[in-house]
Amino acid sequence: MGDNGKLYVPKELVEIYKKEVIPHVSVLTPNQFELELLTDMKITSLSDAKVAFEKLHNQGVDAIILTSSNISVNTNTDENRKPSVVSSSDNDHTDAPGSRNYLIASYKRLSTETSQVGNKIYVASFPVIPGHYTGTGDLISALLLAWTTRLDDDLSLAIRKALATMQSVLKRTHEAKEKGLNETGELLLIQSKKSIETPNIGGHDVIVAEIQ
């Protein structure tokens, strides 16, 4: 629908998304701006995100994956570098080498066998690939939808696989751009066919942790 405070669609469509589309969705992959639009609330913390997730779960959405946000995450709080959300700040996010990006996801589904509601929150941390690339939002959404469908209840593994592919595609694209072989920065999807089909989840420093 949009990003960075700007709509890509007519504003009249927002209400249609909220009232007519969301009740039929099982997997949703909004950025922070879109999540705020869909839930009519400002999101500046993990607590806010959890409230927003719950609103969408109550409308029938099983998995909500916040693919980009201004919620800052500290991955150095323990020796295992498990992510934990600490604050919200536009200044905490950078394209500088060595910096990291974060994804927050919530999964909630009523079990038909036990009638129990399973609810899990995950935070994923992964290295920034320098540069700006067109189509990354579409690609991560497609990958998450594919892997959540194939892996069913294992959202953590689905996130690992999707992010491993993203890292591989962006690294390949960045390297080609640096060598002058891809001046537009167009994502090298055809060249990344193997990475899309069989992502290497152990080779890209992608950390996914369940949090409370």
Side-chain angles (χ1 to χ4, degrees):
M1 291 191 301
D3 200 3
N4 297 317
K6 180 181 178 181
L7 280 170
Y8 300 152
V9 300
K11 62 181 181 180
E12 293 78 12
L13 289 182
V14 175
E15 288 301 312
I16 295 176
Y17 278 115
K18 289 162 60 177
K19 297 178 180 179
E20 299 183 28
V21 177
I22 292 299
H24 302 284
V25 170
S26 58
V27 179
L28 190 65
T29 58
N31 55 45
Q32 183 170 334
F33 175 63
E34 292 168 333
L35 185 60
E36 290 176 340
L37 285 176
L38 293 172
T39 57
D40 294 314
M41 60 179 293
K42 185 68 176 175
I43 298 168
T44 60
S45 67
L46 177 61
S47 296
D48 292 339
K50 285 182 176 180
V51 173
F53 290 155
E54 191 63 22
K55 285 185 176 184
L56 294 169
H57 285 314
N58 289 338
Q59 290 182 268
V61 183
D62 291 332
I64 304 120
I65 306 164
L66 181 56
T67 56
S68 63
S69 76
N70 291 331
I71 298 174
S72 179
V73 184
N74 180 5
T75 58
N76 297 311
T77 55
D78 60 35
E79 61 184 4
N80 295 320
R81 298 174 66 226
K82 289 184 178 180
S84 61
V85 176
V86 294
S87 67
S88 176
S89 171
D90 289 338
N91 296 325
D92 288 332
H93 297 267
T94 174
D95 285 341
S99 59
R100 299 180 72 83
N101 279 336
Y102 305 93
L103 172 153
I104 305 172
S106 179
Y107 176 81
K108 186 175 184 179
R109 178 184 291 179
L110 178 65
S111 170
T112 56
E113 296 180 358
T114 65
S115 296
Q116 297 292 317
V117 175
N119 192 6
K120 297 181 178 180
I121 302 285
Y122 298 97
V123 173
S125 165
F126 49 97
V128 168
I129 307 298
H132 297 279
Y133 308 95
T134 301
T136 54
D138 292 334
L139 179 57
I140 189 63
S141 294
L143 291 168
L144 287 167
L145 178 59
W147 285 115
T148 52
T149 300
R150 177 169 293 189
L151 297 172
D152 196 20
D153 290 339
D154 198 340
L155 182 57
S156 176
L157 182 55
I159 291 170
R160 284 184 171 90
K161 286 181 175 290
L163 290 178
T165 294
M166 287 296 300
Q167 288 288 294
S168 181
V169 172
L170 289 175
K171 284 179 181 178
R172 184 173 287 109
T173 302
H174 175 69
E175 289 170 359
K177 190 174 182 179
E178 289 289 290
K179 294 176 181 178
L181 302 175
N182 182 17
E183 294 183 359
T184 64
E186 181 178 352
L187 296 180
L188 300 182
L189 298 178
I190 301 301
Q191 297 86 337
S192 304
K193 181 175 182 292
K194 182 177 180 180
S195 299
I196 294 172
E197 295 175 338
T198 56
N200 177 12
I201 62 174
H204 297 287
D205 192 18
V206 172
I207 304 168
V208 181
E210 184 176 351
I211 62 174
Q212 300 299 319

